[in-house]
Amino acid sequence: MNRATAAPGSTRRRAVAAAALAALLVAGAAGCTPGPGDTGSPGRGTGGRATGAPPTPAPDRPPGADPSGNLRLLAEHGPPPLDAWGWTAPEADTVARAVEELTARCMAERGFAYERSGGAGAAGGADGALGEPVTHWGGFLGLVSHERARTTGYQVLDVEARLAERARLEQEATRTPDPAYVAALTGEGAPGGGSGCSGWAFDQVTPADPAVDRRIQERLYGAALRRAEEHPAVVRALDGWVACMARHGYAIETVPVPADTDPVTAELVDQAVADVGCKDETGLVDTYVTALYDAERALAAEHRAELEAFAAWGRERVRLATEALAG
């Protein structure tokens, strides 16, 4: 039997990498108006640590507490090289909380009670779930854990939270927004325009420095993904994975990415188990992560000066956010 099953989230190779990057990175471009909880941080990467400072290590977990397998890969390969110029999780949370606090103060001055969304927190993992570390390989590799394949298949790890958020958004969609509140928050419809309280709050923790390339880290992340995807060893391993999946009865050409919020089915669990097994057989996971990290290190060396300036700008954002929270 030739099963053409593909889990939700399967796309063409380049589209997968692009989607992963888009989910991971949100640039803090000048003049942008972040939504609630948006700090302008590309996946904890909008500047921060001094160059060469060790990124935050993956937290220690008891056995069985690594459902995605990402902690194992981080322990084996180390943190993503380009992350050395980004924020730590606490720094990202500081900026997020400051934006929320400043927005709330501004809205209160205009006579509105701001509905806080909460800070960005410690950011999510490949699924944005369970406090796992952000990784750069999830959008290309998908599942890397036998334990997860056997238990949840292609279901997202934070399915309950996602369903709750979906229900909240659906309920909000039935409400008629107060034009005055929207104008105060975003500037939309306000006389004279402007960015509203959310834009003002963002500006308070975002120093204006035209010499800094605010999107340098985002672009390098994307360039590294493309280099890794096109690496001959990765292409060979991926072709081997496709052939292996075909032997198991699955006629698919791209690696499925967990995106399902529906109940787990035996059929998709079977496919997920074959998927991870074929990755082991072909060495796709280690081949890809090695190529990706090599690409990140090479790009970091090529753009060191821009990254240094970017990191300094990010540290200044954290300083301004810390002051705002103290005040």
Side-chain angles (χ1 to χ4, degrees):
M1 178 174 61
N2 190 29
R3 292 168 286 186
T5 307
S10 289
T11 59
R12 297 302 302 170
R13 296 181 194 175
R14 201 165 300 282
V16 168
L21 181 64
L24 182 66
L25 310 179
V26 181
C32 74
T33 303
D38 183 353
T39 67
S41 165
R44 292 198 308 225
T46 300
R49 276 165 278 170
T51 301
T56 304
D60 292 331
R61 302 287 179 95
D66 181 21
S68 73
N70 286 324
L71 293 176
R72 173 184 62 81
L73 287 177
L74 283 172
E76 293 174 358
H77 293 272
L82 280 173
D83 281 3
W85 284 270
W87 286 330
T88 63
E91 288 169 339
D93 185 65
T94 294
V95 177
R97 287 188 295 108
V99 170
E100 287 282 88
E101 175 61 26
L102 290 169
T103 301
R105 294 177 195 171
C106 175
M107 292 293 284
E109 290 174 0
R110 300 187 185 191
F112 296 98
Y114 174 58
E115 296 181 13
R116 296 174 185 253
S117 64
D127 297 298
L130 306 181
E132 290 203 341
V134 169
T135 67
H136 299 184
W137 54 74
F140 183 88
L141 289 175
L143 292 173
V144 298
S145 164
H146 285 280
E147 175 189 355
R148 180 175 180 185
R150 288 191 300 266
T151 55
T152 59
Y154 292 103
Q155 191 182 70
V156 294
L157 290 175
D158 56 348
V159 60
E160 292 183 3
R162 293 200 189 196
L163 291 174
E165 177 65 6
R166 181 185 301 171
R168 184 188 69 81
L169 292 174
E170 289 174 351
Q171 184 177 12
E172 277 193 0
T174 65
R175 294 171 18 190
T176 302
D178 179 357
Y181 180 92
V182 173
L185 180 62
T186 69
E188 181 181 344
S195 58
C197 284
S198 61
W200 172 84
F202 180 80
D203 289 342
Q204 301 314 296
V205 298
T206 307
D209 189 343
V212 172
D213 183 351
R214 299 185 180 191
R215 303 183 72 91
I216 182 64
Q217 193 182 41
E218 175 187 350
R219 286 202 301 275
L220 295 184
Y221 280 140
L225 289 172
R226 290 189 293 273
R227 286 191 186 184
E229 181 181 344
E230 295 167 359
H231 193 286
V234 173
V235 173
R236 286 193 299 272
L238 187 58
D239 287 344
W241 177 88
V242 170
C244 177
M245 290 296 285
R247 291 195 299 274
H248 284 274
Y250 300 99
I252 55 178
E253 297 183 5
T254 55
V255 178
V257 176
D260 204 349
T261 56
D262 294 330
V264 178
T265 67
E267 291 79 10
L268 284 179
V269 166
D270 287 345
Q271 180 183 336
V273 170
D275 174 1
V276 177
C278 285
K279 288 180 181 130
D280 286 350
E281 179 179 316
T282 59
L284 177 60
V285 173
D286 286 336
T287 299
Y288 180 75
V289 176
T290 297
L292 179 62
Y293 276 30
D294 286 347
E296 288 198 15
R297 279 188 285 269
L299 287 164
E302 294 167 18
H303 298 273
R304 189 177 184 87
E306 298 110 301
L307 287 168
E308 293 273 14
F310 176 80
W313 175 76
R315 290 193 297 274
E316 178 63 9
R317 292 191 71 194
V318 174
R319 185 191 68 80
L320 291 172
T322 301
E323 289 184 353
L325 290 171

